Amino acid sequence: MGEVSMSSLRSYDLADFPIPTGREEVWRFAPRKALKPLLEDVGSDGHLEWETTLAGLELRAIDADEARARAASAPVDRISALAAAHSGQAMLLEVPADTNHPEPLLIDLRGTGREPVVWGQLLIEVGRGAKATVVVRHTGTAQYAGNISVVVHDGGSCEFVSIQNWSDDSVHAGHIATRVGRDARLRSVVVTLGGEAVRLVQTVDYSGPGGDVDVRGLYFADAGQRFEHRSFVDHAQPHCRSNVVFKGALQGEGARSVWVGDVLIQPTAVGTQTYEINRNLLLDDGARADSVPNLEILTGDVVGAGHASTTGRFDEEQVFYLRSRGITEQEARRLVVLGFFADVLDGIDVPMIRSELMRAVEAELGYVHEAEH
Amino acid sequence: MSQLIIDNLHVEVESDAGAKEILRGVNLTVDTGQTHAIMGPNGSGKSTLAYALAGHPAYTVTAGTVTLDGEDVLAMSVDERARAGLFLAMQYPVEVPGVSVSNFLRSAVTAVRGEAPALRGWLKEMRGAMANLSVDPSFAERSVNEGFSGGERKRHEILQMELLNPRFAVLDETDSGLDVDALKVVSDGVNRVRAGGEVGVVLITHTTRLLRQIPVEFVHVMWQGRIVAEGGPGLADEIEANGYEQFTGATV
Ligand SMILES: Nc1ncnc2c1ncn2[C@@H]1O[C@H](COP(=O)(O)OP(=O)(O)O)[C@@H](O)[C@H]1O
Ligand SMILES: [Mg+2]
């Protein structure tokens, strides 16, 4: 059980976040070369293309001051501070209190090229007692630093999905800041499938007791792809729960993933229940997964706290077993890999998104459906 | 009638000390409608024979042939063998996390039958087969073999056998780890499949327990990778009374 690796510093002041050298704990795994343009303090008028399906709600632009006032958290690192500074305005999706939106609210963000760099900020706010599912999809080509803030007010409930399915020459880094109020619930899923380098830092904060947060992640890194996911759950309120599950598959030369899961249970956070787990599946040689869980407990009164991390090779005995029942090798591999991801995929309540993601994982495996032959 | 012919089968495994020959010329012919028992002490090569027939990659055939109605089984991939009608109930079935029993069974049945069964009829068929083997319906949603007890795994193997309806089934130590009730449930299942008359069954066991529930016509004794004695059901009784020494002693 280690100390959390993230500094608790949250700040809009760029001076707090010098250009990393790579020796810093939080940057030591990062693909700094690919991220270089996103670490430079240079403004840009670049933007992504937005397309939304919001069932009567709308996105509205807010200025930087309002964005600061509403954001779940101040930036956590240089890239998120730069994104806040250079995005100018932010886009806000507000779900009114006590409304229910069973249909997913979709926000599609599409990159149109590597140049110029894009800085962006998106805020999602789920009002008191409201219920909503929000899906953000990133596709196309970009070098993008984007912050997403998700605030769930008291008694609210939000399912939040962020999908990164960029082209192979895209670079994306940013901060997913989440905060839940009293007795509020957030289930988040971060899915990273495409991009040259993707580095996402998710923070979880509680602003009242009884908050309940699931932080899930799924990634599939191919040859040459570098995906880094960090989560920092800061338990500062009593009787809250967090459950962190990240599952990754890697295949091909130079495929690389990093997961660092920090959970801090503050002295004030009595009655906390938390668990975090990361599992990596190496589909062949040449791939590498780093996995670092850190759990720091500063109170004597926890309901439960634990972590686990495993990285293992693909189990050919499972494939043999399925094939011995007549199932083709390709189908057997598909079943085993989808099975590996099942506890993340099954947690996605939107059937359309779940099947889209299953298809995307199948595509990573080179799987072609019978009907499509 | 179909016929499975194993002729002079030699099988090696890779070990730290290099290749090691485990099967040293096994001969066995099974017709559909027949039930054979292969008996022998631990380590004599029974599971190796089963895995080699199924095509497990750890077992290399160095000599001999296996044919199913004249077709070269050894030239077939693992899944082709299953689709050709071979079935192996494994001694240690593996867990496949995240793949539900119902998804697995439907995928297997679809592969072996060559088309997906219609959903309605399929659910009824699957539930019926599960009920026959006293498998709780909740198992359909559980991951394959994950957290199953030894006995549950064995029942799950026989469940697959009933649904896949093979021409030849090899049951590797299906009786081990079963209590008396479970042994009855499992052997009733095997006997149901046998009653169809269109399957050849090979029961691998090192005890005679299963053979009191499932009548066999032929008994083969394996020792050090060869079949060293053959006979009718009386041979099993002899082994029960006197153990394996008479055979193992004779060949050393
Ligand atoms: N995969 C394997 N790798 C190395 N040795 C093996 C392997 N499978 C079987 N053996 C060896 O082959 C011999 C026969 O084993 P097995 O076929 O399991 O016997 P049985 O099923 O009759 O108990 C044993 O000495 C065993 O250690
Ligand atoms: Mg054995």
Side-chain angles (χ1 to χ4, degrees), chain B residues 188-236:
Chain B
D188 285 352
V190 177
N191 286 330
R192 267 194 304 277
V193 179
R194 287 173 65 245
E198 279 158 22
V199 62
V201 176
V202 178
L203 302 173
I204 291 177
T205 180
H206 64 280
T207 71
T208 55
R209 215 159 82 100
L210 190 64
L211 309 185
R212 288 193 287 272
Q213 310 279 341
I214 305 174
V216 298
E217 298 133 276
F218 307 95
V219 175
H220 314 264
V221 178
M222 185 174 275
W223 169 243
Q224 291 188 339
R226 286 200 188 93
I227 289 178
V228 293
E230 291 180 302
L235 184 54

Side-chain angles (χ1 to χ4, degrees), chain B residues 41-48 50-51 91-92 172-173 204 206:
Chain B
N42 275 328
S44 53
K46 305 182 300 294
S47 290
T48 299
Y51 277 125
Q91 185 171 3
Y92 304 109
D172 192 3
E173 306 276 4
I204 291 177
H206 64 280

Side-chain angles (χ1 to χ4, degrees), chain A residues 59-261:
Chain A
L59 273 178
R60 69 181 167 90
I62 56 173
D63 63 24
D65 287 341
E66 187 175 354
R68 279 193 190 205
R70 286 179 179 267
S73 161
V76 281
D77 57 20
R78 183 172 178 88
I79 292 178
S80 51
L82 284 168
H86 290 307
S87 57
Q89 61 177 28
M91 299 304 282
L92 171 69
L93 172 65
E94 213 172 343
V95 179
D98 298 315
T99 60
N100 186 5
H101 300 267
E103 289 300 312
L105 308 171
L106 294 176
I107 301 174
D108 274 296
L109 302 178
R110 201 179 156 71
T112 54
R114 277 172 62 90
E115 306 295 341
V117 163
V118 179
W119 307 103
Q121 248 193 122
L122 168 65
L123 286 84
I124 295 154
E125 224 173 302
V126 176
R128 282 172 174 266
K131 201 167 176 224
T133 297
V134 182
V135 179
V136 180
R137 273 190 293 219
H138 302 89
T139 57
T141 301
Q143 295 191 90
Y144 177 56
N147 294 339
I148 299 178
S149 160
V150 181
V151 173
V152 188
H153 288 287
D154 295 356
S157 172
C158 179
E159 171 151 351
F160 169 73
V161 182
S162 179
I163 301 170
Q164 293 66 242
N165 205 359
W166 301 102
S167 69
D168 282 345
D169 54 347
S170 294
V171 176
H172 176 195
H175 178 196
I176 299 175
T178 65
R179 192 176 75 216
V180 296
R182 173 184 285 265
D183 298 325
R185 176 157 170 66
L186 171 67
R187 293 154 55 90
S188 79
V189 188
V190 171
V191 179
T192 303
L193 301 169
E196 175 191 343
V198 175
R199 182 182 193 270
L200 297 173
V201 180
Q202 181 166 2
T203 54
V204 177
D205 292 292
Y206 300 83
S207 53
D212 184 355
V213 179
D214 281 303
V215 182
R216 293 197 174 89
L218 182 163
Y219 46 89
F220 198 126
D222 283 323
Q225 293 184 320
R226 303 190 61 171
F227 298 158
E228 176 170 349
H229 296 90
R230 289 176 172 259
S231 50
F232 177 34
V233 183
D234 189 353
H235 278 281
Q237 293 283 338
H239 305 295
C240 291
R241 179 189 156 277
S242 63
N243 189 43
V244 180
V245 181
F246 275 78
K247 291 267 186 109
L250 295 92
Q251 83 183 349
E253 200 55 43
R256 178 95 196 263
S257 73
V258 175
W259 173 81
V260 180

